[in-house]
Amino acid sequence: MPPDPPILYSYFRSSASWRVRIALAIKGIDYEYRAVNLIKDGGQQRTSEYKERNPMAQVPALVIDGVTLTQSLAIIEYIEETRPENPIHPKDPVARAQARKLAEIINSGIQPIQNLSVLQHVEKLTSRPESKAEWGHFFINKGFVALEKEIAQTAGKYSVGDTVTIADLCLVPQVYNANRFKVDLDAFPTIKRVAAALAELDAFKKADPVAQPDCPEDLKP
Amino acid sequence: MPPDPPILYSYFRSSASWRVRIALAIKGIDYEYRAVNLIKDGGQQRTSEYKERNPMAQVPALVIDGVTLTQSLAIIEYIEETRPENPIHPKDPVARAQARKLAEIINSGIQPIQNLSVLQHVEKLTSRPESKAEWGHFFINKGFVALEKEIAQTAGKYSVGDTVTIADLCLVPQVYNANRFKVDLDAFPTIKRVAAALAELDAFKKADPVAQPDCPEDLKP
């Protein structure tokens, strides 16, 4: 009997879920999709049932090989180590360090500061609903100024050379967030070009928010 | 002729610099320490000279094997891959995923939200100097509630079992920050116990802020 397929707890628009969806698509791993709506009912990720899976009350969580894994980059590293076909890391250690650096600039340097729970706290602190959009725009734009300089040094067709790396898995969802916060991407030509090239790839199309079962109909093209 | 020793651009109290110092100490790698004062002159990390090394204007940066690496976890992964003696990762992929998960809860889930540039922005937004301390306390405490649940499931003597992992490298600096922000550690018994056990180890003593050349005399014991 084949093992049960992995289960991904995901929200269509969550950056971290999206990164893992791309990794699973690159590796050709089929999985069961379970939607966790981050908005509805005050956030389904905050239910005690979900927090049993992930005390951080965040998506994604991936049930695979009999264990529940959380934290997108840790999940991607695990998938890469246990399913080495269609590699996500370059072979050269320096190129790998560059790819992980770009991934971390986004994963720890940009995304956490503009995530939902921080924005909700900013609004509470200021009592101005518009402060969320200002905050998100400020920190994404600031991060992109640095990221553009970095990526311009390593990019080929994609973020690091001409093969897809973990950096690209983080880049595409972050560019989506940048657009939501009305960051002017024309100021970041390498980021814009690489994101456009990635959007053409099948794995990225499959992982896109609009292709997920929990994407509302009115957001589909 | 032996190769030049690595150069670490560091600030004694920076969490991310501290993680890398622990990794270098565990591996027994000698290096040249170059202090970057994050406070003085509006922050030496913001000079154009330093931003050539790291456009994110953050420490650490490690010059090693002829390249400059940034982002603490990417640096630690590189050191682990190129210097496998005294391993920082467990051999078992699931244990490795657990260690990386805990590292990322801190690295992307807690630390970035309470780092210097975010706190400075919070103060600017609220015009209340005390808002920095409130913000830092809130997000570290919130993160530790989740981290305690996670770590209680994996800890032995240290964060994951009985050997030091990348999770421990992140834990110790974050506990230091928790103390600075007056988070009550008695509410987090596993975190407190593990951090105390780690503090006894030579590599952690060597990497401690008080042992760094840029630690002010009045902060030394």
Side-chain angles (χ1 to χ4, degrees):
Chain A
M1 220 171 60
D4 289 337
I7 301 168
L8 181 68
Y9 291 85
S10 168
Y11 181 55
F12 75 109
R13 202 149 64 175
S14 138
S15 304
S17 302
W18 189 346
R19 296 170 194 156
V20 173
R21 294 196 304 257
I22 301 169
L24 291 166
I26 288 172
K27 298 289 185 182
I29 301 170
D30 286 327
Y31 59 93
E32 183 189 330
Y33 189 101
R34 293 205 190 156
V36 179
N37 191 315
L38 302 189
I39 307 296
K40 201 176 157 187
D41 312 327
Q44 294 173 342
Q45 76 283 14
R46 296 192 179 118
T47 61
S48 53
E49 190 195 341
Y50 186 75
K51 285 208 286 191
E52 282 295 306
R53 289 189 193 288
N54 186 357
M56 285 291 279
Q58 293 173 336
V59 283
L62 182 69
V63 183
I64 189 169
D65 302 337
V67 290
T68 301
L69 304 180
T70 61
Q71 293 295 320
S72 61
L73 295 195
I75 295 172
I76 293 165
E77 296 279 357
Y78 176 85
I79 294 171
E80 175 77 351
E81 289 176 351
T82 56
R83 278 90 171 158
E85 326 77 56
N86 303 324
I88 289 170
H89 284 321
K91 273 190 191 159
D92 172 60
V94 170
R96 257 199 317 270
Q98 288 170 330
R100 285 188 175 122
K101 170 190 70 181
L102 298 176
E104 285 293 0
I105 288 175
I106 296 167
N107 176 61
S108 71
I110 303 175
Q111 200 280 332
I113 310 173
Q114 53 101 105
N115 83 1
L116 184 63
S117 79
V118 171
L119 293 177
Q120 288 171 338
H121 201 70
V122 167
E123 183 177 359
K124 203 171 133 190
L125 203 65
T126 59
S127 310
R128 290 193 306 116
E130 66 274 24
S131 63
K132 289 196 292 188
E134 293 162 8
W135 176 281
H137 183 279
F138 176 83
F139 281 105
I140 296 172
N141 196 73
K142 181 170 176 252
F144 272 27
V145 169
L147 185 64
E148 174 66 23
K149 280 186 196 145
E150 293 276 8
I151 215 169
Q153 290 174 24
T154 58
K157 195 169 176 187
Y158 306 120
S159 297
V160 179
D162 294 327
T163 55
V164 171
T165 65
I166 197 165
D168 299 307
L169 277 55
C170 296
L171 184 70
V172 165
Q174 190 59 58
V175 166
Y176 176 91
N177 284 333
N179 280 320
R180 284 186 73 200
F181 284 96
K182 304 191 196 314
V183 170
D184 177 15
L185 283 180
D186 288 335
F188 310 110
T190 318
I191 293 174
K192 191 175 172 179
R193 172 179 66 74
V194 169
L198 291 164
E200 298 300 313
L201 303 177
D202 283 345
F204 285 75
K205 286 180 187 167
K206 198 172 168 186
D208 196 275
V210 298
Q212 306 317 308
D214 57 337
C215 181
E217 283 303 321
D218 59 323
L219 292 181
K220 289 186 180 171
Chain B
M1 220 172 60
D4 289 337
I7 300 168
L8 181 68
Y9 291 84
S10 168
Y11 181 56
F12 76 109
R13 201 149 64 176
S14 139
S15 306
S17 302
W18 189 346
R19 297 169 195 157
V20 172
R21 293 196 304 257
I22 302 169
L24 291 167
I26 288 172
K27 298 288 185 182
I29 301 170
D30 287 325
Y31 59 93
E32 183 189 328
Y33 189 100
R34 293 206 190 156
V36 178
N37 191 314
L38 302 189
I39 308 294
K40 202 176 156 188
D41 311 327
Q44 294 174 342
Q45 76 283 15
R46 297 190 179 119
T47 61
S48 52
E49 190 195 340
Y50 186 75
K51 286 208 284 190
E52 282 295 307
R53 290 191 193 286
N54 185 357
M56 285 293 279
Q58 294 172 336
V59 283
L62 182 69
V63 182
I64 190 168
D65 302 337
V67 291
T68 300
L69 304 180
T70 62
Q71 293 294 320
S72 61
L73 296 194
I75 294 172
I76 293 164
E77 296 279 358
Y78 176 85
I79 294 172
E80 175 77 351
E81 289 177 350
T82 56
R83 277 91 171 159
E85 326 77 56
N86 303 323
I88 289 169
H89 285 320
K91 274 189 190 159
D92 173 59
V94 170
R96 256 199 318 270
Q98 288 170 330
R100 285 189 176 119
K101 170 189 71 182
L102 297 175
E104 286 292 1
I105 288 175
I106 296 167
N107 176 61
S108 71
I110 303 175
Q111 200 280 333
I113 310 173
Q114 53 100 104
N115 84 1
L116 183 63
S117 79
V118 171
L119 293 177
Q120 288 171 338
H121 202 70
V122 167
E123 183 177 1
K124 204 171 133 190
L125 203 65
T126 59
S127 308
R128 289 192 307 115
E130 65 274 24
S131 62
K132 289 196 292 188
E134 293 162 8
W135 176 282
H137 183 281
F138 176 82
F139 281 105
I140 296 173
N141 195 74
K142 181 170 177 251
F144 271 27
V145 170
L147 186 64
E148 173 66 23
K149 281 185 195 147
E150 293 275 8
I151 214 168
Q153 290 174 23
T154 57
K157 195 168 175 187
Y158 305 121
S159 297
V160 179
D162 294 326
T163 55
V164 171
T165 65
I166 197 165
D168 299 308
L169 277 55
C170 296
L171 184 70
V172 166
Q174 190 60 59
V175 166
Y176 175 91
N177 284 333
N179 280 320
R180 285 186 72 199
F181 283 97
K182 303 189 195 316
V183 171
D184 178 14
L185 282 180
D186 288 335
F188 310 110
T190 318
I191 292 173
K192 191 176 173 180
R193 173 179 66 73
V194 169
L198 290 164
E200 298 301 312
L201 303 177
D202 283 345
F204 286 75
K205 286 180 187 167
K206 199 172 168 187
D208 196 275
V210 298
Q212 306 316 308
D214 57 336
C215 180
E217 283 303 321
D218 60 323
L219 293 181
K220 289 185 181 173

